[in-house]
Amino acid sequence: MMFLFERDTWQEVYDSLTKNKLRSILTMIGVWWGILLLIGLLGAARGLENSFNRLFGDFATNSVFVWGQSTSKPFKGFQEGRMVNLTLTDAKKIEENVEGIEFVVPRNQNSSLVVRNFQSGTFSVNGDYPLLDKVQKKKLIHGRFLNQSDIDDNKKVAVISEDIYLQLFEKDADVIGEYIQINSINFRVIGMFKNGNQNMGPTSDLHIPFTTFQQIYNQGERIGWMMLTGKPEADIKQVEEDAKLLLKNLNKVHPEDKRAFGSFNLGKEFAKITGFLTGMQFLTWFVGIATLIAGVFAIGNILLITVKERTKEIGVRRALGATPFEIKRQIIVEAVFLTLLAGLLGIITGGWILIAIDSAFGQGSDAVLVNASVSIAVVFVALIILVVLGSLIGLIPAFKATSIKPIEALREE
């Protein structure tokens, strides 16, 4: 390894590459483009993945939403078109009987006028259990979310969104402990959360205890919809099918009625996205490495031409005592140096491109590519691949250089 620190080694590399600068530059372009493509595509894929993770981030992804609709088939004396209303009993039965269920979260929602002093606005009011914070984590800015005491005592407390705060409260006003009116009933604010996932499911502007919601809207046992979360190992598609079948039995709905219950399987959609991202990353690595290999082969071809041009020089070195190993080593060093130099330039350029992508597409709540970047580990892997490919491709001209006998090399014109 000491030869790498010798000035003569690098002087020879410099002389070899500068004899034909244009050819050396054109040779490096293939590797430069390959690593640039690899870094750029991997960074874009990571940005897309971050965007999806931010979109789904607040939700337990192995989940399905289920709600009641109208029947499409008559059954057991009931006519077609009957509205099906879900109840707390339905939720309890699903929790007890459907295999793979981890949480069942009944939910209610209504639109109401919310008033504070002389400010007012119409917002969605949600009746919820504390369990919601486990399956759809709230990004609390101040205070707390609902707890079991709020449910048991039917407390008139509310957790509001940042949007409500901005509309109903003065700038920099302390929100915790203040009162707002919902349907002319005073509620004490106990928490404020940051809005998120605005396009995922029903909007959540304001949360009050489920039991309090039952009272002020006279809901009784009825629920608007329920969120079913499967265990990590559970098949969420099967959970959805089993839950719907049980609900049909409980509500006297025809087994083949496909309209009576609506659902949105978040786990299934998330699996599609995960599969797409995995495929995209595989394709990125394949295209990037294929381009790198093509670029490295170009370096090998150019080095073969260089060896041909340096046949007499190599013959002189052999006549002066240079061993075949030393000749091979020098050629391989040149190949690895060219490959690494082109690769490092590609990594730097790729980094600039990712910075530009992040500035153009990664800003704001609706960003398409969030924090488009690659990890240090990926950069190291790319560099290792370059060293290995450079070494292997350098062997071809290296063996070519040592295959010529010194006396024949000295005769070469």
Side-chain angles (χ1 to χ4, degrees):
M1 293 295 292
M2 291 301 297
F3 76 97
L4 291 176
F5 300 99
E6 294 175 3
R7 182 177 179 180
D8 290 345
T9 299
W10 296 106
Q11 183 64 48
E12 189 169 345
V13 170
Y14 175 78
D15 292 340
S16 174
L17 298 181
T18 53
K19 281 180 181 178
N20 194 325
K21 296 179 182 178
L22 179 61
R23 185 171 65 190
S24 298
I25 292 171
L26 293 176
T27 302
M28 294 166 59
I29 285 178
V31 175
W32 169 80
W33 177 249
I35 200 73
L36 172 63
L37 194 66
L38 183 65
I39 296 296
L41 289 177
L42 281 177
R46 172 63 65 85
L48 191 61
E49 181 180 358
N50 291 338
S51 178
F52 283 123
N53 286 338
R54 186 167 73 174
L55 181 64
F56 288 99
D58 293 346
F59 287 91
T61 52
N62 200 31
S63 301
V64 59
F65 302 89
V66 180
W67 59 89
Q69 299 181 149
S70 60
T71 60
S72 62
K73 294 177 180 291
F75 190 64
K76 290 188 177 180
F78 291 100
Q79 296 298 314
E80 176 187 347
R82 172 173 62 98
M83 288 300 300
V84 181
N85 294 311
L86 296 177
T87 66
L88 286 172
T89 301
D90 294 333
K92 186 68 175 175
K93 291 290 185 181
I94 287 177
E95 187 175 15
E96 292 173 348
N97 296 288
V98 175
E99 187 177 352
I101 284 284
E102 185 171 18
F103 299 118
V104 177
V105 187
R107 302 195 64 190
N108 271 323
Q109 186 180 80
N110 211 326
S111 183
S112 296
L113 182 68
V114 181
V115 180
R116 180 179 182 270
N117 296 335
F118 299 104
Q119 305 295 325
S120 65
T122 301
F123 301 97
S124 62
V125 178
N126 297 266
D128 286 310
Y129 285 97
L131 188 58
L132 177 68
D133 198 40
K134 288 188 176 181
V135 296
Q136 185 184 344
K137 189 68 178 174
K138 294 297 176 184
K139 299 174 183 176
L140 288 171
I141 303 173
H142 301 294
R144 65 173 177 85
F145 195 65
L146 305 171
N147 61 28
Q148 193 58 42
S149 175
D150 300 329
I151 299 293
D152 295 339
D153 298 334
N154 301 342
K155 291 182 180 179
K156 294 179 177 62
V157 293
V159 182
I160 67 172
S161 69
E162 191 177 21
D163 286 347
I164 294 181
Y165 173 79
L166 293 174
Q167 187 164 334
L168 301 185
F169 289 79
E170 297 79 18
K171 186 178 180 181
D172 298 327
D174 189 7
V175 65
I176 304 302
E178 294 295 315
Y179 284 86
I180 58 176
Q181 285 189 345
I182 305 172
N183 280 4
S184 301
I185 300 172
N186 286 323
F187 281 75
R188 182 168 57 88
V189 178
I190 60 171
M192 182 174 75
F193 63 92
K194 188 175 182 64
N195 291 86
N197 299 321
Q198 297 177 0
N199 299 320
M200 293 294 301
T203 56
S204 299
D205 294 319
L206 191 152
H207 300 273
I208 64 175
F210 188 92
T211 49
T212 308
F213 188 101
Q214 286 177 300
Q215 288 183 339
I216 67 173
Y217 292 104
N218 195 26
Q219 284 291 108
E221 290 290 297
R222 288 175 298 165
I223 61 176
W225 76 99
M226 64 180 81
M227 185 175 178
L228 313 178
T229 301
K231 295 177 181 177
E233 70 278 4
D235 181 355
I236 196 63
K237 294 181 185 178
Q238 190 62 48
V239 168
E240 179 185 5
E241 292 174 6
D242 293 346
K244 282 187 174 181
L245 183 59
L246 178 58
L247 287 173
K248 288 176 181 178
N249 291 332
L250 293 171
N251 291 273
K252 296 181 174 60
V253 174
H254 195 287
E256 297 180 2
D257 193 330
K258 298 183 184 299
R259 197 177 70 187
F261 296 99
S263 63
F264 176 74
N265 197 316
L266 184 62
K268 184 170 66 174
E269 299 304 316
F270 189 75
K272 289 180 183 178
I273 291 171
T274 303
F276 166 74
L277 291 173
T278 301
M280 186 175 175
Q281 288 181 340
F282 173 79
L283 183 62
T284 296
W285 276 105
F286 178 79
V287 171
I289 291 177
T291 308
L292 278 179
I293 291 174
V296 171
F297 267 107
I299 288 178
N301 289 331
I302 294 301
L303 286 175
L304 279 173
I305 297 172
T306 304
V307 166
K308 179 68 176 175
E309 294 174 348
R310 295 165 61 190
T311 300
K312 191 169 184 178
E313 172 197 330
I314 293 171
V316 171
R317 292 185 61 189
R318 292 285 305 277
L320 293 174
T323 64
F325 174 75
E326 290 173 339
I327 301 295
K328 291 176 184 177
R329 184 179 64 187
Q330 185 63 38
I331 300 297
I332 291 173
V333 167
E334 292 178 14
V336 172
F337 177 77
L338 267 178
T339 308
L340 268 181
L341 180 59
L344 288 171
L345 291 174
I347 290 171
I348 294 170
T349 311
W352 288 341
I353 288 175
L354 290 181
I355 292 172
I357 289 175
D358 191 57
S359 298
F361 304 105
Q363 307 302 314
S365 59
D366 57 347
V368 178
L369 301 174
V370 178
N371 189 25
S373 59
V374 293
S375 65
I376 296 298
V378 169
V379 174
F380 275 119
V381 168
L383 289 176
I384 290 171
I385 291 173
L386 287 174
V387 171
V388 172
L389 290 177
S391 300
L392 292 176
I393 206 67
L395 289 174
I396 299 173
F399 278 105
K400 177 68 176 176
T402 55
S403 64
I404 305 172
K405 295 180 179 179
I407 191 65
E408 293 177 359
L410 290 172
R411 290 173 180 169
E412 186 75 20
E413 293 294 336

